[in-house]
Structure formats: structure tokens, C-alpha cells
């Protein structure tokens, strides 16, 4: 007897991913009705960079006060950067982006322009925020105050009455994946990001599919965003 197959919406996929990462209270979803899991996007464009415009992922006000001088100086100096890698100061997805850029630049500097440095550092902040908001006690000193304020407001985190609501957590994960895609030219190794996010690679791949990525092949963990955008849809087959 043939069974009906149900393909899930992006929201349902993300719910499954995040509930597998940790057990948290479902809470009142109406509290985060104003948050869309995905940032504004253009599903019809044939330009992959225009599917999720950077301005729709990270607003200018979010990064305008991000201080990059120390971060930039560390990356541009090979010795300092190697020391930062050894100390695990930055995430593997950041390290991978720097390594790829250094290889393509072939000794030329700067590796990134200032705007790119801001997005790169902000991705690091978002990953730290995702990890720390899963803890009972949150040390806000790990991030600049302006960044905490922006992320807390954008993703509706209430430390007094609990942590993130499910929809807010879904939205944060989606934003992290999409920003990673922009930085890595729309293809990422999901195993690297999964390690940073402390989740299983299979779950990270499913989360990437929820924002429209496709797995390149079964032999690798690479996922790629292509245009036009194709999101999971609710349909019986």
C-alpha cells in the first residue's frame, strides 16, 4: 500500500532541528509572531546574491558600531591569526573563510574590506549568541553591549523569564546560515558550521535545506544556495 509522504515547511524543518539540539519549552508562539523565520527574500531572482540581500539579513544599524580594528589586525597578521586559531578564539566557519580568502589573495592585503570584516565578525557574534542563549546563566560580557542589545531585541530573548522562544531560535539559526552563505560565496561545509553550533551535521544540513540550500552530493557535507530559490513546501505526494 502506497503511503503519503509529507514534505515539511521551512518552519517545521527548523523546529525539528532545534528540538533535536536541545529540549526547550515550546512556550507561546504568538509572542514571536512578528519574527519571520527567514529574512525578506526574493524567490524569483536568478541572481543568488539577491535572494537574501545582506541588508535584509543584517541591518546597517546592527553593524554600524561594530569595532573591527583588533579583529582586522589579528587576521592580517599571520602570526597573530595562528595564535588566535590555537586559542580557539574564533569559530571554525570564520577560520575557514579566512583561509579561503588568504589562498585566493595570494599574499595580497587587505584580505577583506572593512564592510566584509564587519559581517565576518558579526557572524562570530551571532554564533556565540546562539550557543550562550542555550545556557541557564548568560554572561553578556562575551559580546559588545550594542551587539547584545541588537540580537536580544531582534530575536526576542528574555533572560528574566527564560531563553529564546522556538520561533526566535529558528530565525537566529536561519540568519546564521544565510550570513555564512554570503561570506562563503553561497557554499558552506555544513560539518564545520555544525561543530561551531554544537549540533549534529545531519541537523545542520536539514537547517540549510530549510533556507533553500541543496546538498551537493552524498559524499560531502557541502550545501549550496542556488537561484531561483526553492524552499520546502507543505505538500502530500
Amino acid at each position: 500500500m502506497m503511503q503519503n509522504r509529507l514534505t515539511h515547511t521551512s518552519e517545521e524543518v527548523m523546529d525539528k532541528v532545534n528540538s533535536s539540539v536541545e529540549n526547550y519549552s515550546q512556550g507561546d508562539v504568538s509572542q514571536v509572531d512578528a519574527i519571520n523565520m527567514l529574512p525578506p527574500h526574493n524567490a524569483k531572482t536568478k541572481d543568488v546574491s539577491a535572494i537574501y540581500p545582506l541588508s535584509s539579513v543584517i541591518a546597517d544599524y546592527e553593524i554600524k558600531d561594530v569595532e573591527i580594528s583588533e579583529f582586522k589586525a589579528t587576521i592580517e597578521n599571520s602570526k597573530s591569526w595562528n595564535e588566535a586559531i590555537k586559542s580557539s578564539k574564533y569559530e571554525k566557519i570564520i577560520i575557514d573563510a579566512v583561509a579561503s580568502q588568504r589562498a585566493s589573495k595570494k599574499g595580497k592585503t587587505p584580505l577583506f574590506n572593512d564592510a566584509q570584516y564587519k559581517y565576518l565578525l558579526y557572524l562570530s557574534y551571532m554564533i556565540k549568541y546562539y550557543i550562550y542563549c542555550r545556557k541557564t546563566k548568560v554572561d553578556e560580557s562575551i559580546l559588545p553591549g550594542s551587539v547584545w542589545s541588537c540580537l536580544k531585541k531582534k530575536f526576542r530573548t528574555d533572560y528574566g523569564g527564560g531563553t529564546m522562544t522556538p520561533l526566535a531560535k529558528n530565525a537566529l539559526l536561519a540568519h546564521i546560515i544565510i550570513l555564512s552563505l554570503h561570506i562563503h560565496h553561497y557554499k558552506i561545509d555544513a560539518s564545520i558550521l555544525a561543530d561551531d553550533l554544537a549540533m549534529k551535521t545531519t541537523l545542520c544540513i536539514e537547517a540549510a535545506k530549510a533556507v533553500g540550500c541543496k546538498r551537493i552530493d552524498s559524499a560531502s557535507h557541502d550545501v549550496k544556495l542556488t537561484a531561483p530559490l526553492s524552499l520546502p513546501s507543505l505538500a502530500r505526494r
Side-chain angles (χ1 to χ4, degrees):
M1 182 172 65
M2 185 177 295
Q3 293 182 334
N4 286 329
R5 291 183 58 195
L6 185 65
T7 58
H8 300 285
T9 62
S10 294
E11 289 85 354
E12 289 172 325
V13 173
M14 283 295 199
D15 282 338
K16 183 179 179 182
V17 169
N18 275 316
S19 63
S20 297
V21 173
E22 60 174 322
N23 293 320
Y24 52 81
S25 172
Q26 291 299 308
D28 182 3
V29 176
S30 65
Q31 293 175 358
V32 286
D33 282 347
I35 301 176
N36 293 318
M37 193 203 78
L38 300 178
H41 52 277
N42 184 343
K44 296 181 179 180
T45 182
K46 294 182 180 179
D47 177 3
V48 67
S49 68
I51 294 176
Y52 296 104
L54 266 174
S55 60
S56 75
V57 183
I58 307 296
D60 289 342
Y61 75 86
E62 294 181 71
I63 61 171
K64 70 181 180 69
D65 293 327
V66 172
E67 175 53 53
I68 61 168
S69 57
E70 181 181 347
F71 182 60
K72 180 178 179 179
T74 300
I75 291 177
E76 294 292 341
N77 183 293
S78 296
K79 183 179 179 180
S80 297
W81 183 238
N82 288 334
E83 290 174 355
I85 292 173
K86 289 178 183 178
S87 68
S88 301
K89 185 174 183 179
Y90 298 106
E91 294 73 19
K92 292 180 179 179
I93 198 75
I94 306 298
I95 295 170
D96 185 59
V98 173
S100 296
Q101 190 74 347
R102 184 162 274 128
S104 66
K105 284 279 190 172
K106 298 179 180 179
K108 295 180 180 179
T109 56
L111 292 179
F112 303 95
N113 62 41
D114 284 357
Q116 291 170 326
Y117 268 117
K118 285 197 173 191
Y119 286 118
L120 195 63
L121 184 54
Y122 205 79
L123 174 60
S124 176
Y125 289 156
M126 291 175 76
I127 293 172
K128 286 181 174 66
Y129 187 79
Y130 181 87
I131 294 296
Y132 277 85
C133 282
R134 281 154 51 181
K135 298 185 177 183
T136 304
K137 294 183 179 180
V138 179
D139 179 9
E140 296 193 13
S141 68
I142 65 165
L143 298 181
S146 61
V147 175
W148 273 110
S149 297
C150 286
L151 292 175
K152 187 176 179 179
K153 181 178 180 180
K154 186 171 184 176
F155 298 107
R156 301 284 182 88
T157 309
D158 179 13
Y159 298 142
T163 55
M164 263 186 221
T165 55
L167 188 57
K169 193 169 211 55
N170 291 349
L172 175 57
L173 181 55
H175 280 66
I176 287 171
I177 292 171
I178 293 166
L179 185 54
S180 297
L181 287 164
H182 271 284
I183 289 170
H184 288 78
H185 308 292
Y186 312 103
K187 184 180 79 171
I188 58 174
D189 182 337
S191 67
I192 294 176
L193 185 58
D195 194 51
D196 288 333
L197 295 170
M199 66 168 56
K200 292 181 179 179
T201 298
T202 52
L203 294 176
C204 191
I205 290 172
E206 288 304 308
K209 288 179 179 178
V211 304
C213 288
K214 295 179 176 64
R215 190 170 181 177
I216 294 178
D217 58 64
S218 59
S220 75
H221 298 130
D222 291 347
V223 292
K224 186 175 183 179
L225 184 66
T226 58
L229 179 66
S230 178
L231 294 173
S233 59
L234 191 64
R236 291 190 178 273
R237 295 182 180 178

